[in-house]
């Protein structure tokens, strides 16, 4: 049941409006909806504009935050987030350490799966934006720490690094991981990948790097073919403790 | 704390032994370990063979079941399992429907994340094997149903189809999904992809198909390069209700 | 030695000027060059503007025509032209049939290699443009025919089809090829590929289809990585008589 | 017209026999053919075994030598040979320098296109094998030199390096190329690619590196899909003088 302050999507007019229940009014060319109307609703309910057009209420999922969260830079691509989740076997018993947070999009995906996520972000303004995004996602099991992950303590099942990675970060990650836990390192550039591999090979077992090339398929009246959209993001290294 | 009957990995002697706590004896060239020794242990503990060699105790993660579970055929590849999880935003509040179960490997990944998974498998002997694998994974929120998913009822947040998909399966999936929920269809062949797209476009919004080409990077003394390993599995179509 | 009417590139001012020897004047912000100055020159010679800046003379190669020839549509990509050349073993003894000509770019590459090229283009205005481009390339062994290749006669070592291919085109190609000769079919869409394969398998031996995904590597001060440029054009089917 | 000593393929019995006209006897389970029968024949002619089965005569093309030439190691893949030809615009007016020769397969493709090819191979036994293969291919415009290409003199339109490339090789190539000519460097490992790029950027214009990922498409009664065959060979850098 939607409460005041919850982030909600209103689907209609061929688009999705990202609104806050209880705060103000949504104005569209199909009419207005007072957002207090959303309180008490469920996902899938219809609300109606003053001109009589129905909009559908959607409780946002992590995929919606990927689209609608405010960004401080390019977040990890879903294919790579999914790759980290699957290759580490991330699950609801896990305590996850994430760094750098960026806008918090990966932390939203991880937080919606894991028992807890602690996410480190050195740039205070990025950390602040991520906190706002995580609050929007109503995740109370995610903690943003405005610091370098070298200051992290505790033990973790999975550590995800998407930042300028130094050997010290990998060494520190090794001390924080439970036996059998996984480190995932995202490196867009080959030089950083080399550094990660050269450091990790002495500290971890089962070190594997892969790259995912994603191709969209388009199917129209003219025919079906792979599209020519962007196809590279970075290298993912998975290392097990 | 490990109990009798729990599946456990013993790491040593350059490999991983998949054993059952309390049942019999592990014999290796480095000595024997009575598996009753595992009861009461935690992940990371050491147990010692009668010849004095330590083996490390590992509580298996979904990635371990991908390797060690008995197979009835090729399970979905981790890159594709991860893709389904990320592109649907699968999370711990979700009720997931999965079909066909196969050996249950994808259901283990989904069940370790979601609130519940109901997985349909038409071939009784496959369903039976999957139940055994799911029991090994100690997942009590996953139900195997030995039937076609056309018989499924209820409402779901995410539906994953990895089977011979007909238009009827897609139409039925549309009736089972909550608004905003996702259908994921895995099709190894283009002809099946075409059928999925042609049916889904009228029933779903945001229908997207992609293919993930995974390349491993190898780094040895000779140099670093992409490996020449297998690079295709299938097409993943994500459709939103 | 350059003669009046030859197409020439003048390299300077950080770009390449595509000019005609003997015709008029090249005006640049670094000064003017009367193009009669080019007559009698060789590739690599310097010509000097009235302000004293040297420009280098380049005799165009097929790669230059790929960039500078007037286009009636997208020509085959070099990776695909190269694939046709290598997988057919195209060489200077070969008589090649090409269809559809388009702007003639592929015919320029083939004509610069083979003994002769006959290229069919149904659209008269495209055929005319191609003739102009081929004349610019100074290739006297290439004939443009403004007709469907179904009207072609003679025998050929290699046939390249880059057009809306019907079963009749493939059947006709089979009758025109010498034993051991090759048919290459370029199909951007999967549906057309299916038609090509289903027709060719009964008429040819060694039928193979491949797709080339090209990735550029970028190396800057930030690091080295694959670029995210376009990576699909079409499927190439090679079939041997 | 086939002469004594020419290499010929006899096609029959579901395979291709690589024979020498005039030398001995071909024995197959479908009967014997005295190879003196081949003299005076043309491609496409039929010769008949003593048991009455016809075999078809094929004059080998470069693609046949790719399959049948004796190998001293892995030759360049056709996709990469084609890429070098197309991205350099190699044509029948060109003088080409090639190193290292290996078994001479790339030199056969280049020699069948270009005016002349000089190919350098440091290992004498490899150079000897390549000479034999080139003689089989009846190419009298290709010269094998058993030396490092650092000793090469003259001027060339295209230089292809497929060997352990040092900065000195690239610098020497720059001095041998005509203005507007092209250097192609094949590097299987990223570290060698980096060296090539770092040296070439100061000596050449239009330096571009790409990698071709080739995927075969398979179409059977079960359906159509990309195959899972080998998909990486190396990086091709093209640099223009």
């Amino acid at each position: 049941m939607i409460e005041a302050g919850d982030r909600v999507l209103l689907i209609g007019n061929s688009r999705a409006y990202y609104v806050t229940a209880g705060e103000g009014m949504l104005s569209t060319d199909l009419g207005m909806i007072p957002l207090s109307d959303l309180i008490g609703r469920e996902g899938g309910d219809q609300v109606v504009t003053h001109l009589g057009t129905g909009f559908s209420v959607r409780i946002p999922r992590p995929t919606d935050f990927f689209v609608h969260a405010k960004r401080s830079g390019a977040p990890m691509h879903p294919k790579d987030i999914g790759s980290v989740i699957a290759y580490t076997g991330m699950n609801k018993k896990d305590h996850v350490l994430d760094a750098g947070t960026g806008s918090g999009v990966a932390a939203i995906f991880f937080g919606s799966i894991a028992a807890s996520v602690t996410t480190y972000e050195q740039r205070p303004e990025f950390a602040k934006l991520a906190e706002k995004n995580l609050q929007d996602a109503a995740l109370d099991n995610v903690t943003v720490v405005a610091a370098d992950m070298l200051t992290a303590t505790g033990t973790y099942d999975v550590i995800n690094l998407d930042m300028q990675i130094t050997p010290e970060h990998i060494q520190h990650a090794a001390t924080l991981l439970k036996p059998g836990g996984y480190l995932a390192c995202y490196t867009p550039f080959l030089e950083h990948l080399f550094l990660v591999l050269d450091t990790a090979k002495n500290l971890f077992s089962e070190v594997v790097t892969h790259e995912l090339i994603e191709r969209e398929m388009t199917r129209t009246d003219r025919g079906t073919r792979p599209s020519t959209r962007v196809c590279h993001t970075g290298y993912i290294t998975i290392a097990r403790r």
Side-chain angles (χ1 to χ4, degrees), chain A:
Chain A
M1 214 184 62
I2 294 168
E3 296 176 24
D6 286 359
R7 300 305 303 252
V8 175
L9 289 159
L10 280 171
I11 313 296
N13 198 16
S14 304
R15 48 168 293 201
Y17 297 87
Y18 185 49
V19 300
T20 304
E23 290 185 10
M25 179 78 80
L26 175 70
S27 294
T28 78
D29 12 323
L30 302 176
M32 290 183 292
I33 300 170
L35 294 174
S36 53
D37 278 12
L38 294 173
I39 295 168
R41 304 286 188 152
E42 303 282 354
D45 284 359
Q46 292 276 316
V47 289
V48 180
T49 68
H50 79 290
L51 297 178
T53 305
F55 277 66
S56 175
V57 174
R58 178 182 289 171
I59 311 297
R61 296 176 62 82
T63 49
D64 294 303
F65 293 108
F66 184 80
V67 175
H68 295 286
K70 278 216 180 110
R71 295 187 176 189
S72 51
M76 278 179 81
H77 192 282
K79 72 182 170 69
D80 295 316
I81 292 175
S83 169
V84 169
I85 293 167
Y87 278 101
T88 66
M90 192 185 292
N91 62 70
K92 52 190 161 182
K93 293 185 189 160
D94 280 350
H95 298 278
V96 174
L97 187 152
D98 174 56
T101 314
S103 48
V105 167
I108 290 174
F109 279 83
F110 299 157
S112 73
I113 289 173
S116 79
V117 176
T118 311
T119 179
Y120 285 77
E121 173 56 61
Q122 279 200 288
R123 295 157 296 189
E125 71 285 11
F126 281 35
K128 207 167 160 184
L129 174 65
E131 279 207 49
K132 178 71 179 62
N133 284 328
L134 285 157
Q135 194 180 316
D136 285 350
L139 288 168
D140 55 11
N141 63 334
V142 182
T143 309
V144 183
V145 182
D148 192 309
M149 67 73 75
L150 287 174
T151 63
T153 55
T155 58
Y156 297 92
D157 300 281
V158 174
I159 296 178
N160 179 62
L161 303 183
D162 171 15
M163 39 169 281
Q164 192 84 8
I165 302 170
T166 67
E168 290 69 37
H169 289 107
I170 294 170
Q171 286 152 7
H172 190 55
T175 69
L176 297 173
L177 277 174
K178 291 184 194 160
Y182 284 100
L183 171 65
C185 294
Y186 176 88
T187 47
F189 291 106
L190 286 158
E191 288 79 0
H192 300 153
L193 168 61
F194 293 178
L195 177 152
V196 164
L197 285 176
D198 293 344
T199 311
K201 73 177 175 191
N202 300 315
L203 297 167
F204 291 87
S205 60
E206 302 174 33
V207 181
V208 177
T209 300
H210 58 255
E211 179 196 4
L212 289 176
I213 304 173
E214 183 181 278
R215 302 213 302 168
E216 260 192 55
M217 299 296 287
T218 60
R219 181 162 172 81
T220 68
D221 290 345
R222 295 186 61 208
T224 311
R225 56 180 296 178
S227 81
T228 53
R229 286 181 48 168
V230 166
C231 60
H232 178 76
T233 50
Y235 302 94
I236 305 274
T237 303
I238 304 287
R240 193 165 199 178
R241 189 75 178 104

